[in-house]
Amino acid sequence: MVRDPAVTPTTEPPTPRLLSDRLIAWAGDRDVGERAAVAALIEEGDILARGDVRDLLVVEGGAYVFCDWPRFEARYRCVLVLDEGEDAFLTLVLATAFPRLVPLWKVEVLGERRLGIVLRALARLAGCATLAVGVRS
């Protein structure tokens, strides 16, 4: 059978190949906390690049990928060898993914002015005096 090159078959767009792209696509249908947590993991880069973290957090099949937050939260401290910074980052990422587990969900009602104040307080708590948080004028 000879195919007419002017006729193209109707197909779905290809699935993104990079894990980060696939996770972003999955998170697009999730709540804001999960979208923020995925974005934080991708932006940080180092932790998601670890095979042991991916094996525990990310579930991949041929046509799907997702973060199994409950499994990860239940096991990451006893399965992974983390330094203090990695542990702190993952703790806060999980709190972002599941803000109802801790009072972190209250940021939803702070409003822009108070949110900026809280973010600056967190930066100070982390010992960072140079991080600019707020609206540019």
Side-chain angles (χ1 to χ4, degrees), residues 4 10 14-15 41 48 52 61 73 76 78 81 90 97 113 118 123 132 136:
D4 182 353
T10 307
T15 304
L41 284 169
L48 194 56
D52 56 348
E73 194 278 329
Y76 82 99
C78 60
V81 176
L90 287 172
R113 184 183 71 81
V118 168
R136 291 183 186 207

Side-chain angles (χ1 to χ4, degrees), residues 5 12 25 27 55 58 78 83 88 119 137:
E12 293 184 28
D55 290 345
V58 179
C78 60
D83 66 29
L119 291 173
S137 51

Side-chain angles (χ1 to χ4, degrees), residues 61-88:
Y64 63 88
V65 63
F66 65 92
C67 291
D68 188 342
W69 303 111
R71 178 182 71 171
F72 189 76
E73 194 278 329
R75 300 180 54 206
Y76 82 99
R77 284 196 172 94
C78 60
V79 172
L80 303 175
V81 176
L82 303 169
D83 66 29
E84 186 177 42
E86 291 167 331
D87 181 60

Side-chain angles (χ1 to χ4, degrees), residues 3-70:
R3 299 187 84 170
D4 182 353
V7 177
T8 56
T10 307
T11 59
E12 293 184 28
T15 304
R17 294 192 182 276
L18 293 175
L19 177 61
S20 58
D21 292 342
R22 294 175 69 206
L23 286 173
I24 289 168
W26 166 76
D29 293 333
R30 309 299 294 178
D31 67 31
V32 66
E34 287 183 279
R35 289 192 310 269
V38 166
L41 284 169
I42 291 168
E43 181 180 344
E44 192 274 342
D46 295 335
I47 291 176
L48 194 56
R50 289 178 47 167
D52 56 348
V53 171
R54 282 192 319 276
D55 290 345
L56 192 57
L57 175 62
V58 179
V59 177
E60 290 187 82
Y64 63 88
V65 63
F66 65 92
C67 291
D68 188 342
W69 303 111

